């Protein structure tokens, strides 16, 4: 995760500073991880592919949802960054070490997962049945030029129950990030607009039971990774 303007310095795997990556930032934010004030890169999981659909890599998108219930690139990134910046560091999902904060502020129609601020983590999280998952491998918020540079070296993989899943390549969409004071992603309680980009995964709701998800992401000298154990409740 990479951000510009505020937040913890460095990259945030699934975070914001001079550029926002995986998180949100304030002011001139590039993402949740890198920027003049600080840089961050965030990663989630899913194998990245340069041949992702042209719709996911387009420079703009105005629809809030797309085929098969998937969120459009602009809506997904705006909502994910706002979610990642919705808690202070002590309970923030990106800073979470064991999965205890996975469920905080989750929307009803999608379940977000987070990377880290450039470290490795092992998390166990409950996931509701029938709710799709969404997360970044590496992501950023900043200006159009920031995203061009960021995406030039972005790579990552996501492995669900031993099988690789493909990531969508988003090269630059207009996003709006809302954040709370004291959050480690943007570092401010401001709302701002910027350009979002990254490698993103959207998955349909998982079957009940235990699932493993390994997320890895890298861009430049920033790398992040999370090993998730996801417990999906049985449908009633």
């Amino acid at each position: 995760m990479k951000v510009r303007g505020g937040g913890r310095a460095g990259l945030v795997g699934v975070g914001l500073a001079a550029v926002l990556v995986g998180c949100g930032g304030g002011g001139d934010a590039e993402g949740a991880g890198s920027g003049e004030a600080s840089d961050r890169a965030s990663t989630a999981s899913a194998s990245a592919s340069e041949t992702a659909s042209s719709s996911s890599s387009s420079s703009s998108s105005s629809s809030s949802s797309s085929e098969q219930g998937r969120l459009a690139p602009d809506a997904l990134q705006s909502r994910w960054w706002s979610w990642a910046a919705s808690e202070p560091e002590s309970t923030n999902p990106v800073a979470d070490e064991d999965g205890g904060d996975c469920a905080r502020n989750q929307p009803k129609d999608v379940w977000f997962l987070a990377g880290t601020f450039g470290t490795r983590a092992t998390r166990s999280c409950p996931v509701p049945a029938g709710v799709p998952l969404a997360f970044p491998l590496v992501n950023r918020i900043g200006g159009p030029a920031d995203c061009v540079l960021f995406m030039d070296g972005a790579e990552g993989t996501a492995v669900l129950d031993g099988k690789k899943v493909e990531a969508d390549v988003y090269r630059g969409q207009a996003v709006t990030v809302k954040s709370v004071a004291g959050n480690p992603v943007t570092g401010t309680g401001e709302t701002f607009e910027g350009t979002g980009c990254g490698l993103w995964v959207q998955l349909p709701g998982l079957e009940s039971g235990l699932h493993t998800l390994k997320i890895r992401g890298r861009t430049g000298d920033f790398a992040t990774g999370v090993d998730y154990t996801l417990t999906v409740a049985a449908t009633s």
Side-chain angles (χ1 to χ4, degrees):
M1 167 186 311
K2 219 172 186 182
V3 183
R4 182 174 189 173
R8 183 181 299 176
L11 297 176
V12 180
V14 165
L16 177 131
V19 171
L20 286 158
V21 179
C23 293
D28 180 16
E30 294 181 1
S34 74
E36 297 177 354
S38 61
D39 278 343
R40 281 180 159 178
S42 88
T43 70
S45 69
S47 60
S49 171
E50 284 295 322
T51 59
S53 64
S54 59
S55 61
S56 66
S57 61
S58 61
S59 61
S60 64
S61 175
S62 59
S63 58
S64 61
S65 62
S66 56
E67 300 176 5
Q68 301 177 342
R70 290 163 53 89
L71 294 172
D74 55 345
L76 171 60
Q77 294 179 87
S78 294
R79 293 180 63 185
W80 186 92
W81 280 101
S82 296
W83 169 75
S86 68
E87 286 285 330
E89 184 157 7
S90 61
T91 54
N92 191 274
V94 182
D96 188 7
E97 295 183 356
D98 59 10
D101 297 313
C102 285
R104 290 185 177 275
N105 301 320
Q106 290 284 359
K108 294 182 179 181
D109 61 332
V110 62
W111 191 270
F112 291 128
L113 296 175
T116 69
F117 292 109
T119 60
R120 289 289 182 89
T122 299
R123 299 170 180 159
S124 297
C125 300
V127 177
V131 178
L133 306 179
F135 53 89
L137 302 183
V138 288
N139 56 335
R140 174 172 189 165
I141 295 177
D146 298 321
C147 276
V148 171
L149 293 175
F150 178 78
M151 293 304 296
D152 184 55
E155 60 183 10
T157 60
V159 179
L160 176 65
D161 296 333
K163 297 182 179 180
K164 287 186 177 181
V165 294
E166 290 190 1
D168 296 316
V169 181
Y170 298 158
R171 296 195 175 279
Q173 286 77 31
V175 299
T176 300
V177 179
K178 300 177 181 179
S179 52
V180 301
N183 81 84
V185 174
T186 68
T188 75
E190 301 176 9
T191 294
F192 65 90
E193 297 181 352
T195 298
C197 53
L199 305 176
W200 289 85
V201 175
Q202 296 190 67
L203 299 174
L206 303 177
E207 296 182 356
S208 60
L210 290 177
H211 299 271
T212 61
L213 175 63
K214 296 181 181 296
I215 296 171
R216 301 290 185 270
R218 177 182 296 275
T219 183
D221 60 359
F222 171 80
T224 182
V226 182
D227 292 344
Y228 277 103
T229 298
L230 305 176
T231 303
V232 181
T235 57
S236 56

